[in-house]
């Protein structure tokens, strides 16, 4: 007997869950399925269609037809914006259901999905719908003897491949600007977490987005994902996930000469100077590193603490982390849910072992955790390690509730330690001296530098990475809409 709501049960029992292609709900051409499980119990939630290259091809053809014939691409921006606002209304109307699905599939606390992931996705559709109305699509160009202008037009079919940590939020961040610009999309959600993206397709249909404009192909990365990245019908690609797979997607797009946005992993640092409010900073960072069970690309996993405050900071942070309630995502008291899969739990536990073998100090013992009453979930206790910056846990992305503490003496040492990382997604500086915080923030090489806080997102502030954390423009910024509009010059010599 499960405890899912009636609506979620109804959605899950329509199994196997089909893909959404060309406005129709269809099975995979080869008839295959894969299971998605509840990471909090290890039990199967649903069987989902396992699409492959032929399904991707069908989806790209449907998206191309919709681009050319549905009228979406040529609809006045105002009218498209009305539809995208209707989609945002529907997301808000079904907030509870989507949050429950997201929590079940990813493992995250339902309350967190309801407070952040789902409403933030809805706001992203509103933001880009409004922005698209204000964006000038025709700019005059001053050229003597000519009437000339630059016209901005949608690219055509855009491909999206997403990871499993924030499936619904990332669909919003990713596809909202592409749709607002007038493109059509083919989405490949992560195989661990396809449910909320399928629900998104249902809402897109209900909102009145024409058939073929939004397509969702569920399936594995090496089959459906690779086929989407390499499909010659894709005119713009966006990939969010690991650097290893990002390289493969970038290579495939390079062969087709297709621009790609790559939003990849991170090893974010928090730099704490000795004038900081130690207890408050320790609590905030304990929250940041355990958010979504530590599976957050931009979170602070390297804590660089001024040597004068290190002991007090570590005591406070370890105590805050050890008191967090680990549990099933559906339980209202849960602060840390399970990690997404047994494979991910093994990865995190493996890093703890490797880090200790390389001499890391254990400041808070982490490891596998048991939560009774839910079967065999993939729970992990938060861990705090510390020591040399050369330790594997200080260098590599773990993607679990694990922080690594290092100390520094002065500003330049702190900057050097942060910039040793090959990643460049997000760092934060914590200090009462705003001038110093601003100065250091600009020296940290990354797409984002936050001050006296971590994981700060706002519509209108571009969020992206550099170096191993990605390239291609990022998301959430006003220029992200421009990324989905190609430029064309139109010139007429005056007689
Ligand atoms: P992943 O790279 O393993 O998978 C991401 C997606 O790629 C999945 O949909 C997967 O099916 C697909 N895929 C796998 N192999 C493929 C292939 N050969 N060709 C095409 N697609 C393929 O990443 P993950 O484990 O799902 O997610 C964790 C990673 O994502 C972490 O590195 C994290 O930091 C990163 N991430 C980055 C951001 C960001 O905004 N920068 C946001 C969230 C997650």
């Amino acid at each position: 007997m499960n405890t899912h709501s009636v609506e979620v049960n109804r959605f899950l029992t329509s199994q196997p869950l089909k893909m959404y292609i060309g406005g129709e709900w269809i099975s995979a051409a080869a008839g295959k399925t894969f299971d998605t499980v509840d990471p909090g119990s290890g039990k199967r939630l649903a069987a989902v269609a396992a699409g492959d290259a032929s399904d991707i091809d069908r989806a790209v053809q449907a998206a191309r037809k919709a681009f050319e014939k549905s009228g979406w691409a040529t609809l006045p921006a105002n009218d498209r914006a009305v539809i995208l606002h209707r989609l945002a209304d529907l997301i808000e109307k079904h907030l509870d259901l989507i949050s429950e699905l997201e929590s079940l599939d990813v493992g995250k606390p339902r309350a967190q999905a309801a407070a952040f992931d789902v409403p933030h996705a809805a706001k992203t559709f509103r933001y880009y719908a409004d922005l698209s109305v204000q964006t000038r699509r025709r700019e005059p160009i001053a050229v003597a003897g000519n009437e000339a202008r630059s016209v901005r037009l949608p690219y055509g079919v855009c491909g999206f491949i997403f990871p499993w940590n924030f499936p619904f939020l990332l669909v919003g961040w990713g596809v909202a600007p592409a749709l607002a610009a007038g493109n059509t999309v083919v989405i490949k959600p992560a195989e661990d977490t396809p449910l909320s993206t399928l629900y998104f397709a249902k809402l897109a249909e209900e909102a009145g987005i024409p058939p073929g404009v939004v397509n969702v192909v569920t399936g594995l990365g090496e089959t459906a994902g690779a086929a989407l990245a390499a499909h010659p019908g894709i005119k713009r690609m966006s990939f969010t996930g690991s650097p290893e797979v990002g390289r493969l997607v970038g290579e495939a797009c390079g062969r087709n000469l297709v621009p790609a946005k790559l939003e990849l992993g991170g090893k974010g640092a928090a730099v704490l100077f000795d004038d900081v409010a130690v207890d408050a900073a320790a609590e905030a960072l304990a929250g940041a590193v355990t958010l979504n069970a530590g599976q957050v690309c931009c979170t602070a996993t390297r804590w660089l603490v001024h040597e004068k405050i290190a002991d007090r900071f570590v005591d406070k942070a370890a105590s805050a982390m050890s008191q967090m309630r680990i549990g099933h995502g559906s339980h209202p008291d849960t602060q840390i849910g399970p990690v997404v899969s047994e494979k991910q739990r093994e990865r995190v536990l493996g890093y703890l072992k490797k880090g200790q073998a390389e001499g890391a100090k254990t400041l808070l013992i982490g490891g596998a955790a048991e939560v009774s009453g839910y079967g065999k979930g993939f729970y992990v206790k938060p861990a705090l390690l510390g020591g040399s910056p050369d330790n594997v846990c200080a260098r590599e992305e773990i993607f679990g509730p694990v922080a690594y503490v290092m100390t520094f003496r002065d500003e330049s040492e702190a900057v050097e330690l942060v910039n040793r990382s090959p990643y460049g997604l997000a760092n934060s500086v914590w200090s009462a001296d705003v001038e110093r915080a601003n100065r250091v923030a600009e020296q940290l090489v990354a797409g984002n530098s936050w001050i006296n806080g971590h994981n700060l997102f706002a519509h209108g502030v571009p969020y992206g990475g550099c170096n191993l954390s990605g390239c291609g423009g990022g998301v959430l910024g006003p220029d992200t809409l421009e990324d989905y509009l190609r430029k064309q010059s139109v010139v007429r010599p005056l007689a």
Side-chain angles (χ1 to χ4, degrees):
M1 180 67 193
N2 65 49
T3 54
H4 310 157
S5 67
V6 176
E7 293 82 5
V8 162
N9 259 337
R10 197 177 299 137
F11 181 71
L12 293 178
T13 49
S14 58
Q15 295 186 43
L17 295 174
K18 295 184 175 165
M19 303 178 291
Y20 185 62
I21 297 179
E24 286 175 40
W25 293 91
I26 57 171
S27 303
K32 291 190 181 156
T33 62
F34 64 95
D35 288 345
T36 183
V37 303
D38 168 3
S41 67
K43 291 183 191 146
R44 185 175 95 150
L45 285 168
V48 181
D52 61 18
S54 60
D55 301 290
I56 289 287
D57 186 52
R58 189 166 168 182
V60 174
Q61 304 300 349
R64 181 157 66 201
K65 190 166 156 214
F67 185 74
E68 288 164 1
K69 303 230 159 76
S70 74
W72 180 255
T74 50
L75 206 60
N78 271 328
D79 296 341
R80 248 193 331 259
V82 168
I83 299 175
L84 293 177
H85 273 291
R86 205 182 298 145
L87 175 58
D89 292 343
L90 286 168
I91 293 171
E92 284 162 359
K93 179 174 164 196
H94 296 286
L95 184 140
D96 289 344
L97 187 156
I98 303 167
S99 306
E100 186 180 344
L101 269 185
E102 196 75 327
S103 162
L104 277 173
D105 216 10
V106 184
K108 65 178 67 198
R110 194 186 300 175
Q112 284 176 17
F116 177 62
D117 305 37
V118 183
H120 208 274
K123 281 185 197 143
T124 308
F125 280 98
R126 295 197 192 286
Y127 174 72
Y128 284 110
D130 291 344
L131 197 68
S132 70
V133 172
Q134 291 154 21
T135 300
R136 291 184 64 165
R137 306 279 173 129
R138 280 180 187 75
E139 301 276 359
I141 308 173
V143 192
N146 291 283
E147 180 197 75
R149 61 188 181 276
S150 170
V151 187
R152 285 173 197 176
L153 298 160
Y155 278 81
V157 184
C158 300
F160 289 87
I161 300 176
F162 289 114
W164 41 256
N165 58 343
F166 287 89
F168 198 78
L169 177 80
L170 293 175
V171 164
W173 285 11
V175 306
L179 290 176
N183 297 283
T184 59
V185 303
V186 177
I187 306 171
K188 207 299 278 176
E191 49 270 50
D192 283 313
T193 57
L195 297 181
S196 64
T197 309
L198 289 172
Y199 204 81
F200 169 79
K202 191 169 134 54
L203 296 184
E205 184 178 37
E206 206 178 321
I209 293 182
V213 171
V214 170
N215 304 275
V216 176
V217 178
T218 45
L220 306 185
E222 308 81 63
T223 48
L228 180 57
H231 199 292
I234 295 294
K235 301 296 172 203
R236 221 189 185 299
M237 186 71 208
S238 167
F239 170 82
T240 312
S242 61
E244 298 74 31
V245 179
R247 277 204 175 95
L248 298 176
V249 171
E251 280 167 14
C253 291
R255 278 195 294 277
N256 289 338
L257 303 179
V258 165
K261 268 180 183 294
L262 301 177
E263 311 291 336
L264 310 177
K267 189 72 188 173
V271 178
L272 294 110
F273 285 97
D274 57 357
D275 57 355
V276 80
V278 176
D279 292 2
E283 291 224 1
L285 287 168
V289 79
T290 53
L291 178 71
N292 210 30
Q295 303 160 117
V296 181
C297 49
C298 55
T299 207
T301 53
R302 292 184 291 154
W303 295 350
L304 275 66
V305 190
H306 192 280
E307 59 182 11
K308 279 195 198 152
I309 56 165
D311 290 346
R312 180 150 157 234
F313 175 84
V314 166
D315 282 353
K316 189 71 195 174
S319 147
M321 286 163 80
S322 66
Q323 284 169 37
M324 287 189 159
R325 289 180 297 275
I326 301 173
H328 193 270
S330 64
H331 197 288
D333 292 339
T334 294
Q335 291 172 295
I336 307 178
V339 294
V340 76
S341 61
E342 183 60 49
K343 183 175 157 212
Q344 188 60 18
R345 179 159 79 160
E346 286 307 311
R347 175 187 164 98
V348 177
L349 300 180
Y351 268 110
L352 292 178
K353 271 199 200 130
K354 276 191 269 177
Q356 280 153 354
E358 286 187 16
K361 271 183 269 164
T362 301
L363 306 165
L364 175 69
I365 300 173
E370 299 265 321
V371 170
S372 60
Y374 292 98
K376 290 197 165 160
F378 317 129
Y379 298 94
V380 180
K381 279 187 274 187
L384 190 53
L385 304 177
S388 159
D390 297 325
N391 189 280
V392 65
C393 291
R395 292 183 290 108
E396 295 185 11
E397 184 181 42
I398 299 173
F399 232 50
V402 182
Y404 193 92
V405 179
M406 292 165 270
T407 57
F408 67 89
R409 286 200 192 98
D410 58 31
E411 208 173 297
S412 62
E413 188 185 7
V415 170
E416 192 275 319
L417 280 169
V418 173
N419 289 344
R420 262 188 204 197
S421 174
Y423 288 100
L425 188 51
N427 301 299
S428 55
V429 186
W430 301 66
S431 173
D433 178 347
V434 176
E435 206 176 306
R436 169 166 65 185
N438 278 316
R439 186 173 59 237
V440 173
E442 291 194 14
Q443 292 177 69
L444 305 181
V445 180
N448 308 276
S449 278
W450 295 313
I451 294 176
N452 294 335
H454 206 99
N455 297 330
L456 309 176
F457 310 104
H459 294 106
V461 180
Y463 169 81
C466 63
N467 300 336
L468 204 53
S469 294
C471 58
V475 295
L476 281 183
D479 45 348
T480 313
L481 184 70
E482 305 278 341
D483 291 346
Y484 287 99
L485 290 166
R486 64 182 180 82
K487 282 187 184 162
Q488 186 163 328
S489 301
V490 179
V491 184
R492 182 175 68 93
L494 295 170

